[in-house]
Amino acid sequence: MASKKRARKYIFVVGGVISGVGKGVTVSSIGKILQSRGLKVTAIKIDPYVNVDAGTMNPTEHGETFVLADGYETDQDMGNYERFLDVTLTRDNYMTTGRIYQSVIEKERNLEYKGRCVQVVPHIPLEIISRIKGAAEKADADVTVIEIGGTVGEYENILFLEAARMMHIENHDDILFVIVTYLPVPSKVGEMKTKPTQHAVRALNTAGIQPDFIIARSELPLDKKRKEKIAVFCNMRADDVISAPDVESIYDVPVNFEKDRLGDSILKKLNLRPKTTDLVDWRAFVDRTKKTKGDVNIAVVGKYFDTGDFVISDSYISVIEAIKYSAYAVGKKPKLTWLSAVDFEKDPKKLQQLKKYDGIIVPGGFGSRGVEGLISTIRYAREHQIPYLGLCYGMQLMVIEYARNVLGLKGANTAEIDAHAPHVVIDIMPDQKALLAKKDYGGSMRLGSYTAHLKPGSIVAGAYGAATASERHRHRYEVNPEYIEQIEKGGLVFSGKSADGRLMEFAELPKKAHPFFAGTQAHPEFQAHPLNPHPLFTAFMKVAAKAKGK
Ligand code: GLN
């Protein structure tokens, strides 16, 4: 049905002072509270780097690459938007400097600028604006919330701010600006400082933009005095300075914003009629996260945890969130431990630690680092009857482990690590071979949603409660067709296959052999939402929860 002509509204969210204080969660939460008031909401992420997409970046440095249903490789914030808003976003909702320049250059080469001189200003901001409006149009959104990556005052995002400013000149009534800043409480001083926020707002003013709201992130809530001080120095009303202290969980944020009536204030400024909020389901979920008693202990064993002296879980954020939703769904409090596979290689005795977990997950990954540690982990889970879920690489390594230790195929491996291994049980997909030979790495894997046909009566068919499952993918390698028969004869069941029957999408051991030992070539974690936990994770969690107290 064609939509009635109505003014689309846009909210730009920018960052000040420091990065990493929750712009993505602010965008998701503003989106959620507007959605809860009956508006159609979509969200856009703008990343200022030159990479055309997020697929070529190292997860230990940039965090997880989030894959959209249409196969676009994006930033982890897109995952937050999808999870909070319970929507499926598209490639139109994501852009980088690289992508913008690439398309302006393509248009120039195609003579689409009709002989004009193509300039950084205005052509780059105009391209940005046309993409923002296009995404809003396509989603038929009442409100589009746009996150501009980075912080104000740096070179990288200036053209995106310029695009936002130009949109605002064109239409004052339909556009709002939100700046997320940080107020430090230096331990020696013991007092919350507003000066960095004042500077950040001044930097934003220099770009021709005055914020409508300040989201004041800090360890502690903002007192009245500081709100008033910021209001005076930043030229705004104290009520529009929103206190955003640290919270236990990101899912508390929409509820906290509503406590400050942020929804009402936004609607008023956008000339939209305030509707009563309906965060009922969301509040019920948040309640569950606080009241659930009784732990389920899950170990995620991966290879992208350590960066210098820090351990980060950002590389597996979707997996971690998926575990949480399914734990709550089966009435347990998730206790997560991340273990580095490299440690198990250095000291195999450490594998004994795995005994204490109710379930083990090996998530996706690339390359050889830590792989032998992961294979030993999977062996331990299989031999000790610990529920196991393998995701992408986690399924490929499960096949390798089975081939080596059950079928006796010594030296079985993946071509990704050793193309000349005696048994290449995981091989490169034929169409991928040509791409790699051309060094065509960007956006060239098997990406996005594909449907698998599930074997009736299998664990996975039971989990999905369906004959097919559509999941997102991101891989170049597959189970080598030449070994399928031998592996199945040896007891590992390929319980889901691609529509043409060629690619092995799910593998499992029958229930009589192991309580839950299953893997998928896909990344189901990308479709797990708080209000819609993922059935495969939930099936795994049910068994893990029962394993408790064994
Ligand atoms: N490295 C493997 C492949 O490319 C697995 C990829 C993944 O885990 N996402 O096939």
Side-chain angles (χ1 to χ4, degrees):
M1 199 180 72
S3 65
K4 276 195 289 161
K5 189 95 182 113
R6 64 192 194 282
R8 299 198 194 283
K9 311 284 183 178
Y10 299 88
I11 301 175
F12 286 93
V13 176
V14 302
V17 184
I18 53 171
S19 63
V21 286
K23 269 196 314 277
V25 172
T26 299
V27 168
S28 305
S29 301
I30 289 177
K32 188 76 214 168
I33 61 182
L34 295 178
Q35 191 185 52
S36 81
R37 287 161 178 265
L39 294 165
K40 192 148 193 234
V41 177
T42 194
I44 294 176
K45 172 81 197 266
I46 294 176
D47 268 326
Y49 45 68
V50 181
N51 302 58
V52 172
D53 58 41
T56 50
M57 277 181 284
N58 182 342
T60 40
E61 267 158 45
H62 190 74
E64 159 190 282
T65 298
F66 188 82
V67 182
L68 301 180
D70 65 14
Y72 212 58
E73 295 172 291
T74 70
D75 176 80
Q76 53 173 313
D77 278 319
M78 295 291 281
N80 271 332
Y81 306 165
E82 284 203 349
R83 289 189 280 267
F84 273 64
L85 301 176
D86 206 11
V87 293
T88 299
L89 299 172
T90 73
R91 61 184 60 224
D92 300 313
N93 296 72
Y94 185 70
M95 65 186 95
T96 66
T97 296
R99 184 77 194 88
I100 298 292
Y101 272 87
Q102 189 186 46
S103 74
V104 168
I105 291 168
E106 266 165 24
K107 284 183 187 166
E108 184 274 327
R109 293 287 84 183
N110 297 339
L111 280 181
E112 283 180 45
Y113 292 103
K114 301 196 167 45
R116 281 192 300 268
C117 171
V118 183
Q119 294 180 290
V120 171
V121 179
H123 293 103
I124 297 297
L126 286 176
E127 175 69 22
I128 297 165
I129 293 170
S130 102
R131 281 171 175 262
I132 291 173
K133 288 187 175 170
E137 205 63 42
K138 210 157 168 190
D140 192 25
D142 298 309
V143 184
T144 302
V145 194
I146 305 123
E147 175 177 354
I148 301 184
T151 44
V152 292
E154 53 197 23
Y155 282 124
E156 284 206 319
N157 55 17
I158 197 77
L159 291 169
F160 296 106
L161 293 174
E162 178 62 4
R165 188 190 69 86
M166 284 162 70
M167 276 179 80
H168 188 238
I169 296 178
E170 200 183 293
N171 194 345
H172 274 74
D173 296 340
D174 297 330
I175 291 176
L176 292 186
F177 292 102
V178 176
I179 183 166
V180 182
T181 69
Y182 185 69
L183 288 92
V185 187
S187 56
K188 290 267 158 37
V189 184
E191 184 199 333
M192 186 185 286
K193 301 308 258 178
T194 63
K195 190 73 76 194
T197 293
Q198 297 174 35
H199 282 301
V201 170
R202 215 158 287 159
L204 189 59
N205 289 160
T206 312
I209 294 170
Q210 168 66 22
D212 295 279
F213 295 99
I214 293 179
I215 305 291
R217 289 278 298 107
S218 186
E219 269 170 60
L220 307 167
L222 227 67
D223 56 11
K224 197 159 167 269
K225 193 172 149 211
R226 280 176 184 71
K227 276 196 182 187
E228 281 164 0
K229 189 167 175 189
I230 292 174
V232 170
F233 283 106
C234 299
N235 200 16
M236 54 201 299
R237 293 178 341 137
D239 281 353
D240 295 335
V241 181
I242 309 290
S243 165
D246 286 349
V247 281
E248 220 173 281
S249 137
I250 55 172
Y251 303 105
D252 297 338
V253 176
V255 178
N256 274 5
F257 279 175
E258 275 302 49
K259 270 191 209 144
D260 271 0
R261 305 181 66 84
L262 181 60
D264 280 347
S265 307
I266 290 177
L267 293 180
K268 213 161 137 205
K269 288 202 192 212
L270 287 176
N271 290 318
L272 291 169
R273 242 173 298 132
K275 296 169 201 145
T276 42
T277 160
D278 175 16
L279 278 174
V280 177
D281 291 351
W282 191 264
R283 282 183 210 274
F285 169 74
V286 171
D287 260 14
R288 227 172 300 137
T289 67
K290 303 212 186 303
K291 294 190 183 139
T292 303
K293 299 232 163 33
D295 298 339
V296 60
N297 285 294
I298 305 294
V300 179
V301 187
K303 47 182 288 175
Y304 300 123
F305 282 128
D306 30 31
T307 144
D309 287 340
F310 299 94
V311 168
I312 52 155
S313 46
D314 265 19
S315 336
Y316 301 113
I317 177 91
S318 294
V319 175
I320 288 165
E321 298 309 299
I323 294 171
K324 290 184 192 166
Y325 309 150
S326 286
Y328 292 124
V330 304
K332 293 282 178 193
K333 201 171 182 67
K335 280 201 81 179
L336 284 166
T337 309
W338 0 115
L339 300 172
S340 169
V342 180
D343 283 353
F344 292 146
E345 288 179 0
K346 284 191 206 140
D347 184 3
K349 279 206 294 303
K350 282 197 175 161
L351 282 167
Q352 300 295 332
Q353 296 175 1
L354 292 170
K355 233 194 329 250
K356 53 177 191 262
Y357 297 100
D358 305 319
I360 295 172
I361 292 184
V362 171
F366 296 83
S368 60
R369 190 172 161 267
V371 155
E372 289 303 321
L374 293 171
I375 293 175
S376 313
T377 300
I378 299 168
R379 178 177 195 168
Y380 194 92
R382 183 176 56 76
E383 292 182 343
H384 292 78
Q385 303 274 302
I386 302 173
Y388 172 76
L389 181 61
L391 307 170
C392 202
Y393 219 12
M395 169 183 137
Q396 295 176 353
L397 300 177
M398 165 182 160
V399 171
I400 294 171
E401 188 281 316
Y402 204 77
R404 284 187 192 175
N405 303 321
V406 180
L407 306 183
L409 301 177
K410 250 181 115 197
N413 215 331
T414 163
E416 183 171 353
I417 296 175
D418 183 4
H420 305 290
H423 298 283
V424 178
V425 291
I426 304 294
D427 203 1
I428 184 124
M429 289 185 277
D431 47 342
Q432 288 290 328
K433 217 177 215 161
L435 294 168
L436 292 193
K438 282 192 289 178
K439 294 203 173 193
D440 188 356
Y441 298 117
S444 66
M445 286 186 235
R446 179 170 179 252
L447 289 167
S449 290
Y450 288 94
T451 299
H453 292 254
L454 308 177
K455 190 174 175 138
S458 62
I459 292 177
V460 295
Y464 283 95
T468 60
S470 170
E471 294 290 0
R472 301 181 191 176
H473 291 70
R474 183 170 189 250
H475 65 122
R476 293 190 200 279
Y477 297 82
E478 60 164 332
V479 176
N480 184 345
E482 286 173 25
Y483 283 90
I484 291 171
E485 208 186 310
Q486 193 179 353
I487 293 170
E488 288 220 284
K489 272 206 185 115
L492 190 68
V493 179
F494 289 113
S495 47
K497 300 181 181 175
S498 58
D500 62 6
R502 227 185 53 80
L503 297 169
M504 302 301 105
E505 293 278 17
F506 290 87
E508 63 187 67
L509 275 180
K511 271 197 199 116
K512 59 180 186 322
H514 194 290
F516 193 104
F517 189 75
T520 171
Q521 185 56 79
H523 288 279
E525 66 270 22
F526 293 143
Q527 295 199 91
H529 295 175
L531 302 185
N532 228 335
H534 193 284
L536 187 59
F537 280 86
T538 305
F540 161 77
M541 206 56 78
K542 261 188 203 148
V543 182
K546 258 197 256 144
K548 181 85 203 165
K550 64 188 174 270

